[in-house]
Amino acid sequence: MLRARDVMDRDYAQPLDVPALARVAHVSQAHFTRTFRATFGETPHRYLQRRRVERAMFLLRETDRSVTDIGFEVGFTSPGTFSRTFRDIVGRSPRTYRKEAVAVGVPTCFTMAWTRPHA
């Protein structure tokens, strides 16, 4: 399971699916999904979405790139899916998040802990 999670952490922007991740973990797809959820508390799909949104949050705070470009860069295949997933996890749209993200004089570790989405 840790190998599969490491692949998701490293290659989150690539099109990953359960069959490919199950092969990494050397188990069946059904066993992979059940065991991943029991181990990490969320489905592999949700973990990958959250990982992509976390990276998008960083890019929204630290760059001036468009929301659409950031969505594609972190692995989402459409702007609508990116916005809907971002809102579902963070509770705000990507544009609203960018407007409200202000971290002046706060250490990065506190900013990351404070802005990390909850599962």
Side-chain angles (χ1 to χ4, degrees), residues 5 17 19 21 26 33 35 42 69 95 104 113:
R5 191 179 70 174
D17 57 10
L21 294 168
H26 302 287
T33 301
T35 305
E42 59 189 339
D69 286 348
R95 292 185 204 296
V104 178

Side-chain angles (χ1 to χ4, degrees), residues 76-115:
F76 287 96
T77 56
S78 79
T81 302
F82 171 58
S83 291
R84 184 171 20 88
T85 304
F86 192 96
R87 182 186 300 269
D88 185 43
I89 292 174
V90 178
R92 292 173 276 176
S93 73
R95 292 185 204 296
T96 303
Y97 176 80
R98 174 177 266 171
K99 287 179 188 170
E100 294 175 356
V102 177
V104 178
V106 177
T108 305
C109 59
F110 287 113
T111 304
M112 291 179 70
W114 182 60
T115 59

